[in-house]
Amino acid sequence: MRVGMFPGTFDPVTSGHLDILHRALQVFDRVIVAVAHRHQKQTLFSAEERIEMIRDSISKGDAGRIEIVPFEGLLVDFARARKVAGIVRGLRFVSDFEYEFQMALMNQKLAPNLPTIFLMPSEKYTYLNSSLVKEIVRNGGAVGGLVPPAVARSLKKKLGRAERQKT
Amino acid sequence: MRVGMFPGTFDPVTSGHLDILHRALQVFDRVIVAVAHRHQKQTLFSAEERIEMIRDSISKGDAGRIEIVPFEGLLVDFARARKVAGIVRGLRFVSDFEYEFQMALMNQKLAPNLPTIFLMPSEKYTYLNSSLVKEIVRNGGAVGGLVPPAVARSLKKKLGRAERQKT
Amino acid sequence: MRVGMFPGTFDPVTSGHLDILHRALQVFDRVIVAVAHRHQKQTLFSAEERIEMIRDSISKGDAGRIEIVPFEGLLVDFARARKVAGIVRGLRFVSDFEYEFQMALMNQKLAPNLPTIFLMPSEKYTYLNSSLVKEIVRNGGAVGGLVPPAVARSLKKKLGRAERQKT
Amino acid sequence: MRVGMFPGTFDPVTSGHLDILHRALQVFDRVIVAVAHRHQKQTLFSAEERIEMIRDSISKGDAGRIEIVPFEGLLVDFARARKVAGIVRGLRFVSDFEYEFQMALMNQKLAPNLPTIFLMPSEKYTYLNSSLVKEIVRNGGAVGGLVPPAVARSLKKKLGRAERQKT
Amino acid sequence: MRVGMFPGTFDPVTSGHLDILHRALQVFDRVIVAVAHRHQKQTLFSAEERIEMIRDSISKGDAGRIEIVPFEGLLVDFARARKVAGIVRGLRFVSDFEYEFQMALMNQKLAPNLPTIFLMPSEKYTYLNSSLVKEIVRNGGAVGGLVPPAVARSLKKKLGRAERQKT
Amino acid sequence: MRVGMFPGTFDPVTSGHLDILHRALQVFDRVIVAVAHRHQKQTLFSAEERIEMIRDSISKGDAGRIEIVPFEGLLVDFARARKVAGIVRGLRFVSDFEYEFQMALMNQKLAPNLPTIFLMPSEKYTYLNSSLVKEIVRNGGAVGGLVPPAVARSLKKKLGRAERQKT
């Protein structure tokens, strides 16, 4: 049985992430979604909330083959501890590619036998990322189709509250 | 059992291709190396020679899990006929990425359930491609380390002969 | 009245070109589609066939605001002779952008008051270009949705014939 | 009458922005310069100061066809409320292009009939952006030619003051 | 005698920086390493610590041809004051290139006779930068080979302390 | 005394090449311009004509420090035979960078102590290359400022003749 690890911040999970996760399940028998704690960079949602939103967004049929866990520290250490066959990353744009290339080469230096597997989302999601989604909600826009319904609700609740605190 | 397909022209196979093939075997149970006939673009080596050189270059340990076959026509048709779980491509540079992205999106349109899996070679091979190797040999340079020994010999033989024909 | 010029080889016109043309009509009162003769680079279809295919592909409603003409020589000379307000180009990928940027800067040097206007097609067409379409048809694939129906038929007829001539 | 909208932070307006604005006036009958409030990202100048500097920088001849307004919220909502024919953006570099491409695709998803029109500044301004200008002034350099004279004075006054507060 | 200037933040110096410095010494008779104070961007190490680490990392043989100095203000002013023949910068990735291109064009505008000389590190260091190194140490990873031994020790000490302060 | 080598096809030399050559002379004591024979790729001008045009284009003041020579075979072999301190290349665009990066890494593998030095032309020449210049002349456009006057004349003569042969 081959296990892949799909790491990320998922702040929050988008339809693009779910598209990549779905494709990863065609390649691996199981996929561990590794949700980064991110001490350095402030997140909108707590790790618990981010995990919860992913859990609420995956289909029943896939759930048995997906594990969602928080992680801290070095990704390659965590991946080796869990004996995964590869790290899964989504690729959308050239800028993505460069950052991802750099991370993949560095991880390869730290763990030579742990390949990074890049998957491409549907062209519907090439423009999509979590920051853009937050910016739209913050400005009162609708994000249906860009994130799962439960995430859309959480974003509205959270960013509505944040805006009120500002005033 | 999950099978991946690694398509290419392999004119000739380089150490970078073999690095990608080796990584693909960590992700898939078996890998089919699909060698394109290329009616449109002239190749230095015939499809038979290109297949032969790949065969001579893979390690004994991996050989049982690798199949090397010629192919014509549309890649996605061939991949579906062989029921592969994904198409494997190597990624090196941004320009690569764009061409590969375009092909992957097009293939995804033609065959929605056939993901393209991108793997990254060792940083030792980021600058390497078949054209560069041919250019070096044509100019009398040594390509040890860049291609397997048997390929280096074939290149020297072929391109030496080609040069003589010119004069 | 502001007129835009949309130059290209259109060998053949794709749904992506038509998407750009449609957007150009939101910006300009009229659009001149300038079909390049291309002495240097061989085309699959003659200029007449390429013009004919564009004519057959535009909607009745838009036809009154579109003029389709062949052109030779320097684009900026032709654009100035026709007194257009700007040159329209579609942008899809980074590589596009660089080539387009270079052409736009050069044209700006040759004709300082003739801006190049870049428009972006729907994300459905980000992967689409005429070469890819020809490659798919050549390999027996279906291109419905990628080109207008009349173009699909012409491609099949032309490339079928071409293939037969080869054998 | 066709109206274009040129949105941005303009903190402060540069000669590159004015070059784009000038080209936009060749394409549209009128241009609305939409100055973003930017709650998220701190600006050096207030929205009022930024608007004032643009007003002081446009030529008398163009002023009758330009409207400068602050805006908050989602750009596409504002653009639709003002019934503009397209959104104008300047393109300089590949990194620009990617960010701009992403925004344009997202805006197109949010407002399908509102095209984004990309214009390219003179090659004199390919290296120019507001951050670079601020960095030069902060370090005591001269920015003549890079920004209009009034902006150069405001920058010197503002950043001189800021530096003094530091010590 | 020709002198080059190699400016940077060096927070901290990596093996990639040292590789570039070594190559710069093949082109210039002497190289001034100019360590930026960086009022704007917070650094992990003080300018004094950063200079000290570079000093400890250069080989005895090269030391006589290298000068390490702090600098504030505009780079081109400092470079002209020191009468250098060119500014040395390392190039690794496309994103690098764009930022570097922009800086080089701006510096060329500010000081037309001061060329920027780009050098490329060994492919071993294409993925390497100071931020990545700090992230690895912060997460408990080993950075041997990526930075000189003295820098590895300083990083461990500094980032260990920083982490403790957090809790 | 440090010697740099500036290799290229120079078919024909442009104002951008001359700008790079001028900058190289600020870094090196002497520069060898190495004009490639290019058996593989057809050139418009013979090697003799290309050398002649460079000779006619350099300023009297610089001529004593410049040597113009034809070369065949592997660049690094030629550069080592001439004991140069570095290879000079011009950088303009991202696509340039990738090709150049690949060549530089390959050359570095073939000759580890021969650095490639990248220089950037004036922003006036960012869009300029020999192919574009030929295309403009072929279409009857003027190339004053883009190439030296003697080259403009040669281009007109050569491409006028070529066109006549076609008809």
Side-chain angles (χ1 to χ4, degrees), chain C residues 2 23 26-29 91-92 94 97-98 101 108 113 118 120 122, chain D residues 2 23 26-29 91-94 97-98 101 108 113 118 120 122:
Chain C
R2 280 200 178 75
R23 287 170 206 270
Q26 291 181 259
V27 179
F28 293 103
D29 298 293
L91 262 193
R92 286 160 313 159
V94 172
F97 171 62
E98 284 167 21
F101 193 10
Q108 183 174 287
N113 291 313
F118 293 106
M120 207 158 274
S122 162
Chain D
R2 279 200 178 74
R23 287 170 205 271
Q26 291 181 259
V27 180
F28 293 102
D29 299 292
L91 261 193
R92 285 161 312 160
F93 269 102
V94 172
F97 170 62
E98 284 166 21
F101 193 10
Q108 183 173 286
N113 290 314
F118 293 107
M120 207 158 275
S122 162

mmCIF file of all heavy atoms in Angstrom, chain C residues 2 23 26-29 91-92 94 97-98 101 108 113 118 120 122, chain D residues 2 23 26-29 91-94 97-98 101 108 113 118 120 122:
data_model
loop_
_atom_site.group_PDB
_atom_site.id
_atom_site.type_symbol
_atom_site.label_atom_id
_atom_site.label_comp_id
_atom_site.label_asym_id
_atom_site.label_seq_id
_atom_site.Cartn_x
_atom_site.Cartn_y
_atom_site.Cartn_z
ATOM 1 N N ARG C 2 -14.084 54.109 -32.653
ATOM 2 C CA ARG C 2 -12.761 53.532 -32.421
ATOM 3 C C ARG C 2 -12.684 52.137 -33.017
ATOM 4 O O ARG C 2 -13.522 51.284 -32.755
ATOM 5 C CB ARG C 2 -12.468 53.457 -30.930
ATOM 6 C CG ARG C 2 -12.017 54.778 -30.369
ATOM 7 C CD ARG C 2 -11.290 54.619 -29.075
ATOM 8 N NE ARG C 2 -10.838 55.915 -28.617
ATOM 9 C CZ ARG C 2 -11.637 56.836 -28.090
ATOM 10 N NH1 ARG C 2 -12.910 56.594 -27.939
ATOM 11 N NH2 ARG C 2 -11.145 58.001 -27.725
ATOM 12 N N ARG C 23 -14.314 39.767 -26.855
ATOM 13 C CA ARG C 23 -13.973 40.769 -25.827
ATOM 14 C C ARG C 23 -13.525 42.087 -26.474
ATOM 15 O O ARG C 23 -13.809 43.172 -25.964
ATOM 16 C CB ARG C 23 -12.852 40.250 -24.920
ATOM 17 C CG ARG C 23 -13.334 39.181 -23.964
ATOM 18 C CD ARG C 23 -12.192 38.480 -23.230
ATOM 19 N NE ARG C 23 -12.620 37.149 -22.844
ATOM 20 C CZ ARG C 23 -13.223 36.856 -21.689
ATOM 21 N NH1 ARG C 23 -13.404 37.797 -20.796
ATOM 22 N NH2 ARG C 23 -13.624 35.629 -21.422
ATOM 23 N N GLN C 26 -16.133 44.480 -27.079
ATOM 24 C CA GLN C 26 -16.667 45.236 -25.939
ATOM 25 C C GLN C 26 -15.884 46.529 -25.753
ATOM 26 O O GLN C 26 -16.342 47.458 -25.124
ATOM 27 C CB GLN C 26 -16.585 44.408 -24.654
ATOM 28 C CG GLN C 26 -17.552 43.224 -24.685
ATOM 29 C CD GLN C 26 -17.486 42.433 -23.399
ATOM 30 O OE1 GLN C 26 -16.848 41.396 -23.374
ATOM 31 N NE2 GLN C 26 -18.111 42.920 -22.340
ATOM 32 N N VAL C 27 -14.646 46.544 -26.266
ATOM 33 C CA VAL C 27 -13.777 47.698 -26.071
ATOM 34 C C VAL C 27 -13.830 48.637 -27.283
ATOM 35 O O VAL C 27 -13.823 49.852 -27.127
ATOM 36 C CB VAL C 27 -12.327 47.228 -25.802
ATOM 37 C CG1 VAL C 27 -11.410 48.417 -25.620
ATOM 38 C CG2 VAL C 27 -12.270 46.291 -24.606
ATOM 39 N N PHE C 28 -13.875 48.066 -28.483
ATOM 40 C CA PHE C 28 -13.853 48.872 -29.706
ATOM 41 C C PHE C 28 -15.208 48.846 -30.408
ATOM 42 O O PHE C 28 -15.976 47.895 -30.250
ATOM 43 C CB PHE C 28 -12.778 48.344 -30.670
ATOM 44 C CG PHE C 28 -11.390 48.537 -30.149
ATOM 45 C CD1 PHE C 28 -10.671 47.481 -29.603
ATOM 46 C CD2 PHE C 28 -10.789 49.799 -30.176
ATOM 47 C CE1 PHE C 28 -9.387 47.661 -29.115
ATOM 48 C CE2 PHE C 28 -9.505 49.982 -29.685
ATOM 49 C CZ PHE C 28 -8.807 48.921 -29.150
ATOM 50 N N ASP C 29 -15.451 49.864 -31.236
ATOM 51 C CA ASP C 29 -16.694 49.910 -32.002
ATOM 52 C C ASP C 29 -16.649 48.908 -33.161
ATOM 53 O O ASP C 29 -17.658 48.295 -33.503
ATOM 54 C CB ASP C 29 -16.906 51.338 -32.538
ATOM 55 C CG ASP C 29 -17.047 52.345 -31.414
ATOM 56 O OD1 ASP C 29 -18.050 52.277 -30.682
ATOM 57 O OD2 ASP C 29 -16.118 53.155 -31.231
ATOM 58 N N LEU C 91 -3.580 37.061 -24.556
ATOM 59 C CA LEU C 91 -2.481 36.637 -23.668
ATOM 60 C C LEU C 91 -2.918 35.373 -22.949
ATOM 61 O O LEU C 91 -3.969 35.347 -22.339
ATOM 62 C CB LEU C 91 -2.233 37.683 -22.597
ATOM 63 C CG LEU C 91 -1.136 38.693 -22.725
ATOM 64 C CD1 LEU C 91 -0.934 39.376 -21.405
ATOM 65 C CD2 LEU C 91 0.167 38.113 -23.227
ATOM 66 N N ARG C 92 -2.102 34.362 -22.974
ATOM 67 C CA ARG C 92 -2.461 33.170 -22.217
ATOM 68 C C ARG C 92 -1.410 32.783 -21.200
ATOM 69 O O ARG C 92 -1.676 32.637 -20.043
ATOM 70 C CB ARG C 92 -2.693 31.977 -23.139
ATOM 71 C CG ARG C 92 -4.002 32.056 -23.897
ATOM 72 C CD ARG C 92 -3.908 31.161 -25.073
ATOM 73 N NE ARG C 92 -2.612 31.419 -25.737
ATOM 74 C CZ ARG C 92 -1.996 30.609 -26.549
ATOM 75 N NH1 ARG C 92 -2.526 29.441 -26.816
ATOM 76 N NH2 ARG C 92 -0.859 30.926 -27.110
ATOM 77 N N VAL C 94 2.859 32.777 -19.735
ATOM 78 C CA VAL C 94 4.055 33.579 -19.539
ATOM 79 C C VAL C 94 4.905 33.623 -20.804
ATOM 80 O O VAL C 94 5.387 34.674 -21.204
ATOM 81 C CB VAL C 94 4.849 33.015 -18.356
ATOM 82 C CG1 VAL C 94 6.194 33.690 -18.252
ATOM 83 C CG2 VAL C 94 4.058 33.241 -17.084
ATOM 84 N N PHE C 97 3.466 35.950 -23.068
ATOM 85 C CA PHE C 97 3.671 37.299 -22.588
ATOM 86 C C PHE C 97 5.013 37.842 -23.027
ATOM 87 O O PHE C 97 5.120 38.986 -23.455
ATOM 88 C CB PHE C 97 3.559 37.329 -21.068
ATOM 89 C CG PHE C 97 3.970 38.623 -20.474
ATOM 90 C CD1 PHE C 97 3.274 39.780 -20.796
ATOM 91 C CD2 PHE C 97 5.052 38.698 -19.630
ATOM 92 C CE1 PHE C 97 3.647 40.999 -20.262
ATOM 93 C CE2 PHE C 97 5.434 39.908 -19.091
ATOM 94 C CZ PHE C 97 4.734 41.064 -19.415
ATOM 95 N N GLU C 98 6.057 37.028 -22.947
ATOM 96 C CA GLU C 98 7.382 37.521 -23.309
ATOM 97 C C GLU C 98 7.489 37.844 -24.790
ATOM 98 O O GLU C 98 7.986 38.890 -25.173
ATOM 99 C CB GLU C 98 8.451 36.504 -22.927
ATOM 100 C CG GLU C 98 8.679 36.559 -21.457
ATOM 101 C CD GLU C 98 9.465 35.390 -20.982
ATOM 102 O OE1 GLU C 98 10.157 34.762 -21.789
ATOM 103 O OE2 GLU C 98 9.374 35.099 -19.783
ATOM 104 N N PHE C 101 5.287 40.831 -25.369
ATOM 105 C CA PHE C 101 5.909 42.021 -24.779
ATOM 106 C C PHE C 101 6.966 42.560 -25.746
ATOM 107 O O PHE C 101 7.022 43.752 -26.048
ATOM 108 C CB PHE C 101 6.559 41.601 -23.462
ATOM 109 C CG PHE C 101 6.990 42.709 -22.557
ATOM 110 C CD1 PHE C 101 6.634 44.028 -22.773
ATOM 111 C CD2 PHE C 101 7.751 42.416 -21.426
ATOM 112 C CE1 PHE C 101 7.035 45.038 -21.912
ATOM 113 C CE2 PHE C 101 8.155 43.418 -20.555
ATOM 114 C CZ PHE C 101 7.809 44.739 -20.804
ATOM 115 N N GLN C 108 5.836 49.585 -30.632
ATOM 116 C CA GLN C 108 5.746 50.890 -29.979
ATOM 117 C C GLN C 108 6.915 51.785 -30.398
ATOM 118 O O GLN C 108 6.763 52.995 -30.554
ATOM 119 C CB GLN C 108 5.799 50.621 -28.485
ATOM 120 C CG GLN C 108 5.659 51.767 -27.578
ATOM 121 C CD GLN C 108 5.596 51.234 -26.145
ATOM 122 O OE1 GLN C 108 4.591 50.662 -25.724
ATOM 123 N NE2 GLN C 108 6.675 51.383 -25.403
ATOM 124 N N ASN C 113 2.432 55.946 -31.171
ATOM 125 C CA ASN C 113 1.076 56.241 -30.718
ATOM 126 C C ASN C 113 0.081 55.124 -30.987
ATOM 127 O O ASN C 113 -1.117 55.347 -31.026
ATOM 128 C CB ASN C 113 0.593 57.544 -31.356
ATOM 129 C CG ASN C 113 1.370 58.703 -30.772
ATOM 130 O OD1 ASN C 113 1.522 58.792 -29.560
ATOM 131 N ND2 ASN C 113 1.895 59.572 -31.632
ATOM 132 N N PHE C 118 -3.847 44.087 -24.596
ATOM 133 C CA PHE C 118 -3.871 42.648 -24.347
ATOM 134 C C PHE C 118 -5.162 42.253 -23.658
ATOM 135 O O PHE C 118 -5.568 42.885 -22.679
ATOM 136 C CB PHE C 118 -2.695 42.239 -23.476
ATOM 137 C CG PHE C 118 -1.381 42.401 -24.151
ATOM 138 C CD1 PHE C 118 -0.524 43.423 -23.811
ATOM 139 C CD2 PHE C 118 -1.011 41.529 -25.158
ATOM 140 C CE1 PHE C 118 0.697 43.577 -24.450
ATOM 141 C CE2 PHE C 118 0.206 41.680 -25.808
ATOM 142 C CZ PHE C 118 1.064 42.702 -25.455
ATOM 143 N N MET C 120 -7.454 38.757 -22.196
ATOM 144 C CA MET C 120 -7.249 37.409 -21.706
ATOM 145 C C MET C 120 -8.476 36.570 -22.021
ATOM 146 O O MET C 120 -9.589 36.984 -21.729
ATOM 147 C CB MET C 120 -7.075 37.523 -20.199
ATOM 148 C CG MET C 120 -6.264 36.427 -19.628
ATOM 149 S SD MET C 120 -5.591 36.999 -18.062
ATOM 150 C CE MET C 120 -4.106 37.811 -18.656
ATOM 151 N N SER C 122 -11.127 33.314 -21.726
ATOM 152 C CA SER C 122 -11.672 32.520 -20.623
ATOM 153 C C SER C 122 -10.637 31.484 -20.201
ATOM 154 O O SER C 122 -9.850 31.008 -21.014
ATOM 155 C CB SER C 122 -12.934 31.800 -21.106
ATOM 156 O OG SER C 122 -13.257 30.726 -20.253
ATOM 157 N N ARG D 2 -17.526 55.043 -24.407
ATOM 158 C CA ARG D 2 -16.954 53.926 -23.655
ATOM 159 C C ARG D 2 -16.043 54.442 -22.548
ATOM 160 O O ARG D 2 -15.161 55.255 -22.796
ATOM 161 C CB ARG D 2 -16.142 53.020 -24.575
ATOM 162 C CG ARG D 2 -17.006 52.059 -25.353
ATOM 163 C CD ARG D 2 -16.234 50.886 -25.858
ATOM 164 N NE ARG D 2 -17.138 49.984 -26.552
ATOM 165 C CZ ARG D 2 -17.654 50.207 -27.747
ATOM 166 N NH1 ARG D 2 -17.337 51.299 -28.397
ATOM 167 N NH2 ARG D 2 -18.473 49.328 -28.278
ATOM 168 N N ARG D 23 -2.210 56.034 -22.448
ATOM 169 C CA ARG D 23 -2.567 55.042 -23.478
ATOM 170 C C ARG D 23 -4.039 54.636 -23.360
ATOM 171 O O ARG D 23 -4.707 54.403 -24.371
ATOM 172 C CB ARG D 23 -1.688 53.799 -23.360
ATOM 173 C CG ARG D 23 -0.264 54.036 -23.824
ATOM 174 C CD ARG D 23 0.686 52.886 -23.478
ATOM 175 N NE ARG D 23 2.039 53.395 -23.390
ATOM 176 C CZ ARG D 23 2.876 53.477 -24.432
ATOM 177 N NH1 ARG D 23 2.540 53.004 -25.606
ATOM 178 N NH2 ARG D 23 4.085 53.988 -24.279
ATOM 179 N N GLN D 26 -6.364 56.595 -25.280
ATOM 180 C CA GLN D 26 -6.427 56.365 -26.724
ATOM 181 C C GLN D 26 -7.466 55.294 -27.037
ATOM 182 O O GLN D 26 -7.944 55.196 -28.151
ATOM 183 C CB GLN D 26 -5.061 55.920 -27.264
ATOM 184 C CG GLN D 26 -4.027 57.051 -27.225
ATOM 185 C CD GLN D 26 -2.707 56.593 -27.779
ATOM 186 O OE1 GLN D 26 -1.814 56.292 -27.005
ATOM 187 N NE2 GLN D 26 -2.577 56.523 -29.094
ATOM 188 N N VAL D 27 -7.771 54.467 -26.040
ATOM 189 C CA VAL D 27 -8.694 53.357 -26.258
ATOM 190 C C VAL D 27 -10.108 53.716 -25.807
ATOM 191 O O VAL D 27 -11.084 53.358 -26.462
ATOM 192 C CB VAL D 27 -8.191 52.093 -25.518
ATOM 193 C CG1 VAL D 27 -9.148 50.928 -25.731
ATOM 194 C CG2 VAL D 27 -6.779 51.728 -25.970
ATOM 195 N N PHE D 28 -10.200 54.427 -24.674
ATOM 196 C CA PHE D 28 -11.525 54.759 -24.127
ATOM 197 C C PHE D 28 -11.825 56.254 -24.283
ATOM 198 O O PHE D 28 -10.910 57.077 -24.368
ATOM 199 C CB PHE D 28 -11.584 54.380 -22.643
ATOM 200 C CG PHE D 28 -11.521 52.910 -22.415
ATOM 201 C CD1 PHE D 28 -10.348 52.296 -21.994
ATOM 202 C CD2 PHE D 28 -12.635 52.110 -22.652
ATOM 203 C CE1 PHE D 28 -10.285 50.927 -21.793
ATOM 204 C CE2 PHE D 28 -12.575 50.736 -22.456
ATOM 205 C CZ PHE D 28 -11.407 50.149 -22.033
ATOM 206 N N ASP D 29 -13.117 56.586 -24.250
ATOM 207 C CA ASP D 29 -13.525 57.992 -24.320
ATOM 208 C C ASP D 29 -13.231 58.703 -22.999
ATOM 209 O O ASP D 29 -12.854 59.870 -22.982
ATOM 210 C CB ASP D 29 -15.020 58.080 -24.664
ATOM 211 C CG ASP D 29 -15.322 57.456 -26.010
ATOM 212 O OD1 ASP D 29 -14.884 58.020 -27.030
ATOM 213 O OD2 ASP D 29 -15.948 56.381 -26.053
ATOM 214 N N LEU D 91 1.045 46.366 -17.531
ATOM 215 C CA LEU D 91 1.830 45.123 -17.450
ATOM 216 C C LEU D 91 3.291 45.474 -17.637
ATOM 217 O O LEU D 91 3.648 46.115 -18.617
ATOM 218 C CB LEU D 91 1.463 44.192 -18.596
ATOM 219 C CG LEU D 91 0.499 43.062 -18.377
ATOM 220 C CD1 LEU D 91 0.570 42.126 -19.564
ATOM 221 C CD2 LEU D 91 0.733 42.307 -17.097
ATOM 222 N N ARG D 92 4.142 45.024 -16.749
ATOM 223 C CA ARG D 92 5.548 45.272 -16.976
ATOM 224 C C ARG D 92 6.377 44.012 -17.043
ATOM 225 O O ARG D 92 7.085 43.760 -17.979
ATOM 226 C CB ARG D 92 6.127 46.163 -15.875
ATOM 227 C CG ARG D 92 5.721 47.611 -15.999
ATOM 228 C CD ARG D 92 5.921 48.277 -14.689
ATOM 229 N NE ARG D 92 5.311 47.386 -13.675
ATOM 230 C CZ ARG D 92 5.588 47.409 -12.396
ATOM 231 N NH1 ARG D 92 6.463 48.268 -11.946
ATOM 232 N NH2 ARG D 92 4.998 46.593 -11.548
ATOM 233 N N PHE D 93 6.239 43.172 -16.012
ATOM 234 C CA PHE D 93 7.121 42.020 -15.964
ATOM 235 C C PHE D 93 6.337 40.738 -15.814
ATOM 236 O O PHE D 93 5.150 40.758 -15.523
ATOM 237 C CB PHE D 93 8.094 42.158 -14.803
ATOM 238 C CG PHE D 93 9.343 42.850 -15.223
ATOM 239 C CD1 PHE D 93 9.555 44.174 -14.917
ATOM 240 C CD2 PHE D 93 10.282 42.175 -15.972
ATOM 241 C CE1 PHE D 93 10.693 44.818 -15.326
ATOM 242 C CE2 PHE D 93 11.436 42.816 -16.384
ATOM 243 C CZ PHE D 93 11.643 44.137 -16.065
ATOM 244 N N VAL D 94 7.046 39.673 -15.988
ATOM 245 C CA VAL D 94 6.431 38.367 -15.878
ATOM 246 C C VAL D 94 5.735 38.185 -14.536
ATOM 247 O O VAL D 94 4.617 37.694 -14.469
ATOM 248 C CB VAL D 94 7.506 37.295 -16.088
ATOM 249 C CG1 VAL D 94 6.961 35.915 -15.784
ATOM 250 C CG2 VAL D 94 7.973 37.366 -17.533
ATOM 251 N N PHE D 97 2.612 39.863 -14.594
ATOM 252 C CA PHE D 97 1.676 39.173 -15.444
ATOM 253 C C PHE D 97 0.937 38.073 -14.683
ATOM 254 O O PHE D 97 -0.266 37.905 -14.827
ATOM 255 C CB PHE D 97 2.419 38.589 -16.638
ATOM 256 C CG PHE D 97 1.586 37.665 -17.448
ATOM 257 C CD1 PHE D 97 0.443 38.128 -18.068
ATOM 258 C CD2 PHE D 97 1.921 36.338 -17.577
ATOM 259 C CE1 PHE D 97 -0.354 37.277 -18.823
ATOM 260 C CE2 PHE D 97 1.136 35.478 -18.330
ATOM 261 C CZ PHE D 97 -0.005 35.949 -18.950
ATOM 262 N N GLU D 98 1.679 37.336 -13.878
ATOM 263 C CA GLU D 98 1.042 36.245 -13.166
ATOM 264 C C GLU D 98 0.018 36.743 -12.159
ATOM 265 O O GLU D 98 -1.097 36.233 -12.096
ATOM 266 C CB GLU D 98 2.082 35.391 -12.452
ATOM 267 C CG GLU D 98 2.783 34.528 -13.458
ATOM 268 C CD GLU D 98 4.021 33.923 -12.894
ATOM 269 O OE1 GLU D 98 4.126 33.841 -11.670
ATOM 270 O OE2 GLU D 98 4.887 33.541 -13.686
ATOM 271 N N PHE D 101 -2.808 38.190 -14.158
ATOM 272 C CA PHE D 101 -3.551 37.128 -14.809
ATOM 273 C C PHE D 101 -4.527 36.516 -13.803
ATOM 274 O O PHE D 101 -5.714 36.324 -14.094
ATOM 275 C CB PHE D 101 -2.545 36.075 -15.275
ATOM 276 C CG PHE D 101 -3.055 35.040 -16.234
ATOM 277 C CD1 PHE D 101 -4.287 35.139 -16.841
ATOM 278 C CD2 PHE D 101 -2.255 33.936 -16.558
ATOM 279 C CE1 PHE D 101 -4.734 34.174 -17.741
ATOM 280 C CE2 PHE D 101 -2.692 32.975 -17.452
ATOM 281 C CZ PHE D 101 -3.935 33.091 -18.033
ATOM 282 N N GLN D 108 -13.027 37.973 -13.871
ATOM 283 C CA GLN D 108 -13.816 37.464 -14.976
ATOM 284 C C GLN D 108 -14.833 36.422 -14.473
ATOM 285 O O GLN D 108 -15.936 36.330 -14.987
ATOM 286 C CB GLN D 108 -12.826 36.825 -15.943
ATOM 287 C CG GLN D 108 -13.367 36.277 -17.204
ATOM 288 C CD GLN D 108 -12.193 35.843 -18.077
ATOM 289 O OE1 GLN D 108 -11.496 36.670 -18.644
ATOM 290 N NE2 GLN D 108 -11.958 34.540 -18.159
ATOM 291 N N ASN D 113 -18.728 39.656 -17.987
ATOM 292 C CA ASN D 113 -18.732 40.561 -19.144
ATOM 293 C C ASN D 113 -17.876 41.809 -18.954
ATOM 294 O O ASN D 113 -18.083 42.813 -19.635
ATOM 295 C CB ASN D 113 -20.165 40.944 -19.490
ATOM 296 C CG ASN D 113 -20.896 39.756 -20.061
ATOM 297 O OD1 ASN D 113 -20.362 39.061 -20.913
ATOM 298 N ND2 ASN D 113 -22.087 39.477 -19.552
ATOM 299 N N PHE D 118 -5.053 44.957 -20.757
ATOM 300 C CA PHE D 118 -3.681 45.198 -20.326
ATOM 301 C C PHE D 118 -2.963 46.100 -21.313
ATOM 302 O O PHE D 118 -3.010 45.863 -22.525
ATOM 303 C CB PHE D 118 -2.922 43.890 -20.206
ATOM 304 C CG PHE D 118 -3.425 43.022 -19.101
ATOM 305 C CD1 PHE D 118 -4.151 41.886 -19.372
ATOM 306 C CD2 PHE D 118 -3.186 43.365 -17.783
ATOM 307 C CE1 PHE D 118 -4.641 41.090 -18.351
ATOM 308 C CE2 PHE D 118 -3.664 42.572 -16.757
ATOM 309 C CZ PHE D 118 -4.393 41.425 -17.038
ATOM 310 N N MET D 120 0.847 48.249 -21.990
ATOM 311 C CA MET D 120 2.261 48.181 -21.655
ATOM 312 C C MET D 120 2.854 49.584 -21.658
ATOM 313 O O MET D 120 2.675 50.309 -22.633
ATOM 314 C CB MET D 120 2.919 47.336 -22.729
ATOM 315 C CG MET D 120 4.135 46.647 -22.261
ATOM 316 S SD MET D 120 4.426 45.236 -23.332
ATOM 317 C CE MET D 120 3.375 44.021 -22.535
ATOM 318 N N SER D 122 5.882 52.503 -21.782
ATOM 319 C CA SER D 122 7.133 52.668 -22.512
ATOM 320 C C SER D 122 8.215 51.827 -21.841
ATOM 321 O O SER D 122 8.192 51.627 -20.626
ATOM 322 C CB SER D 122 7.548 54.143 -22.474
ATOM 323 O OG SER D 122 8.913 54.285 -22.800
#
